[in-house]
Amino acid sequence: MHIDTSVIQALVFDFSRVLLFAKDPDYKDDLNPLHRKLLEQDADYPFLEYFYLNQELLDYLGELGTKRRFIFTSGIIQDAPAIQANIRGVFEAIYSAEKMGVRKTEPDAYRQLCQNIQLQPHEVLFVDDSQRNLDAAAQTGMQTFLFTGNEGLLPALEILR
């Protein structure tokens, strides 16, 4: 995969399974339904007992500083109060497909996102753990990167410094 770093103006990251993970290593389902279920049981549940942030990536992005940074996620888990201090200073804005009325598996979601951040798709690098989402983003002309772990992503981002 080739990333044209000369045109990238912004980095957009998925939230679940890129920036946030379930503490239970056996949990393989989406994080938003788990979060909703826990909220139904107790609106003040101890979020950080169930989830953890990718602090290494957040720290790296906080130091990167040269590109605009956004989150584009599916649901609402990114709104949890327990993590706001960790993510708000790193990202310019957070967009939720659910709140925007779009699906991340559809190219229109990425067109709308680019309109919101006022950039052309080719000026954006989108990082996600879902190939299906990346395929939809690529259909709009976005540059994409499949997240499989920090060990692959951080060296790829290093060329943006």
Side-chain angles (χ1 to χ4, degrees):
M1 175 203 43
H2 171 72
I3 298 172
D4 183 358
T5 59
S6 67
V7 297
I8 292 176
Q9 299 298 313
L11 307 173
V12 176
F13 294 86
D14 178 37
F15 195 66
S16 296
R17 301 199 192 284
V18 174
L19 295 166
L20 184 78
F21 297 89
K23 279 198 172 178
D24 178 356
D26 296 326
Y27 186 80
K28 302 296 182 212
D29 292 328
D30 290 337
L31 301 185
N32 274 290
L34 174 59
H35 175 61
R36 289 179 199 275
K37 177 183 166 190
L38 292 166
L39 278 175
E40 287 174 11
Q41 295 170 355
D42 177 4
D44 293 321
Y45 82 93
F47 185 88
L48 295 175
E49 288 184 19
Y50 293 90
F51 304 100
Y52 70 94
L53 288 164
N54 183 345
Q55 197 60 54
E56 180 185 22
L57 179 54
L58 288 169
D59 290 345
Y60 182 87
L61 293 174
E63 296 168 4
L64 190 59
T66 59
K67 303 292 178 194
R68 297 173 67 196
R69 297 175 302 275
F70 301 92
I71 291 173
F72 184 44
T73 190
S74 298
I76 62 162
I77 197 169
Q78 71 284 350
D79 296 333
I83 55 174
Q84 292 309 298
N86 297 80
I87 60 175
R88 288 290 172 185
V90 176
F91 299 96
E92 186 175 323
I94 299 171
Y95 294 93
S96 165
E98 180 179 316
K99 292 177 185 178
M100 292 167 60
V102 296
R103 295 181 148 193
K104 287 179 63 184
T105 55
E106 299 294 327
D108 190 52
Y110 302 93
R111 286 187 199 97
Q112 190 172 332
L113 174 68
C114 287
Q115 288 176 344
N116 288 342
I117 64 175
Q118 299 179 344
L119 290 172
Q120 295 299 312
H122 71 276
E123 297 175 314
V124 178
L125 175 63
F126 179 55
V127 178
D128 200 311
D129 64 313
S130 165
Q131 188 62 54
R132 204 168 153 203
N133 293 345
L134 294 173
D135 291 345
Q139 287 180 37
T140 69
M142 278 182 148
Q143 299 186 62
T144 62
F145 188 92
L146 179 64
F147 181 84
T148 57
N150 290 344
E151 61 282 346
L153 178 61
L154 296 182
L157 294 179
E158 191 63 28
I159 60 176
L160 296 174
R161 282 195 183 265

